[in-house]
């Protein structure tokens, strides 16, 4: 059980929820939680943006009834949350990592950046959005000490274009990414190194029992909620 400490709007249709509760099951950046909502049959999976002792930060976008319901929740509300779900990112792969986030794929990269820096790796970060009003966490990544690049499709903030228009100007030996599938396909054509992709799938249970989010890889079928959501570049079938 987690108590809401804060639930605020930080960008267009994007909210940050700070919760208090037991975070001991969260062991790697890139993991997610599954939130039970009153009146909804299925829990809502949300990636972990940040995690400290007894404090959990989630950033989510209002895209349907469930997240709209979350956006109206008040300070002090108690939520039933399954934590520590998914495999998370492996941070042992690089010396010069590049983090690439698109839209609501950005939040888990913040916790990843913190862990990489703790491991004496200084990441470069590309944050991709459609317009300036959608940009979030730019200042927070800079405060960590990351080299940050922002791209917007309409050019209203940072570099005009897509995240792949920025990748060629950055030196890196490995990449980590989270975002929409069209962005993944573009990265796959552009990236010069190995890397890890964090996928989104419609999930039933969130912990590997229902098999509803299974996808085929070069190593057989994998459950995105249990064996993922992070998959290595070399095992993905596009």
């Amino acid at each position: 059980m987690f108590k809401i400490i804060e639930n605020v709007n930080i960008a267009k249709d994007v909210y940050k929820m700070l919760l208090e509760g037991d975070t001991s099951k969260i062991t790697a950046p890139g993991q997610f939680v599954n939130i039970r909502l009153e009146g909804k049959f299925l829990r809502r999976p949300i990636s972990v943006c940040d995690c400290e002792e007894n404090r959990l930060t989630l950033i989510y976008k209002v895209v349907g009834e469930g997240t709209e319901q979350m956006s109206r929740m008040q300070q002090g509300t108690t939520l039933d949350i399954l934590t520590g779900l998914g495999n998370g990112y492996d941070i042992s792969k690089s010396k010069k990592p590049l983090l690439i986030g698109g839209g609501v794929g950005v939040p888990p990269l913040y916790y990843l950046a913190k862990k990489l820096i703790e491991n004496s790796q200084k990441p470069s970060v590309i944050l991709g959005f459609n317009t300036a009003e959608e940009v979030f966490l730019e200042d927070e990544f800079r405060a960590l000490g990351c080299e940050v690049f922002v791209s917007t499709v309409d050019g209203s903030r940072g570099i005009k274009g897509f995240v792949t228009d920025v990748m060629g100007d950055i030196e890196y030996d490995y990449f980590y990414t989270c975002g929409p599938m069209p962005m993944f396909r573009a990265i796959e054509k552009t990236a010069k190194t190995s890397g890890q992709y964090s996928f989104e799938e419609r999930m039933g249970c969130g912990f590997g029992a229902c098999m509803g989010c299974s996808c085929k890889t070069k190593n057989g079928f994998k459950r995105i909620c249990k064996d993922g959501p992070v998959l290595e570049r070399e095992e993905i079938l596009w």
Side-chain angles (χ1 to χ4, degrees), residues 2-214:
F2 283 75
K3 186 195 316 187
I4 297 177
I5 305 300
E6 181 182 67
N7 189 28
V8 295
N9 178 231
I10 59 171
K12 184 176 184 292
D13 298 325
V14 177
Y15 288 77
K16 180 177 76 171
M17 181 180 286
L18 177 62
L19 301 122
E20 185 176 65
D22 182 5
T23 60
S24 61
K25 299 296 184 183
I26 299 171
T27 58
Q31 290 184 306
F32 66 96
V33 301
N34 228 1
I35 304 175
R36 182 179 181 180
L37 298 177
E38 184 177 354
K40 306 298 181 186
F41 179 69
L42 296 178
R43 292 174 181 260
R44 265 42 182 192
I46 306 290
S47 59
V48 172
C49 174
D50 197 11
C51 177
E52 299 175 333
E53 185 177 0
N54 298 323
R55 288 292 178 101
L56 175 67
T57 302
L58 308 177
I59 291 181
Y60 61 95
K61 184 175 184 178
V62 174
V63 294
E65 293 182 3
T67 45
E68 194 279 328
Q69 182 176 329
M70 288 175 59
S71 73
R72 292 185 279 106
M73 291 179 175
Q74 300 297 310
Q75 180 181 2
T77 302
T78 300
L79 292 176
D80 180 334
I81 302 178
L82 299 177
T83 66
L85 303 178
N87 61 348
Y89 293 105
D90 181 349
I91 67 170
S92 67
K93 300 284 189 175
S94 67
K95 293 183 178 178
K96 291 184 178 181
L98 172 62
L99 280 52
I100 312 163
V104 286
V106 167
L109 300 183
Y110 179 78
Y111 190 38
L112 172 61
K114 285 182 67 173
K115 290 300 181 182
L116 288 167
I117 291 169
E118 288 176 11
N119 200 41
S120 300
Q121 299 157 263
K122 185 177 179 181
S124 298
V125 182
I126 306 174
L127 308 177
F129 302 93
N130 289 312
T131 68
E133 62 183 353
E134 297 177 1
V135 176
F136 61 90
L137 288 186
E138 178 185 0
D139 293 339
E140 288 82 351
F141 275 105
R142 292 192 198 280
L144 290 179
C146 300
E147 182 181 29
V148 181
F149 303 85
V150 173
S151 68
T152 52
V153 175
D154 66 359
S156 56
R157 180 77 163 268
I159 299 166
K160 183 176 182 179
F162 301 99
V163 294
T164 47
D165 294 317
V166 186
M167 289 175 65
D169 298 326
I170 303 173
E171 184 180 350
Y172 61 97
D173 63 4
Y174 198 84
F175 70 87
Y176 301 88
T177 184
C178 186
M181 186 61 74
M183 185 187 85
F184 282 179
R185 295 187 185 281
I187 289 173
E188 183 62 19
K189 295 177 181 178
T190 306
K192 302 176 290 187
T193 69
S194 183
Q196 295 172 34
Y197 293 82
S198 181
F199 285 86
E200 294 182 356
E201 283 287 342
R202 294 186 67 85
M203 298 177 185
C205 67
F207 49 83
C210 73
M211 310 298 289
C213 62
S214 295

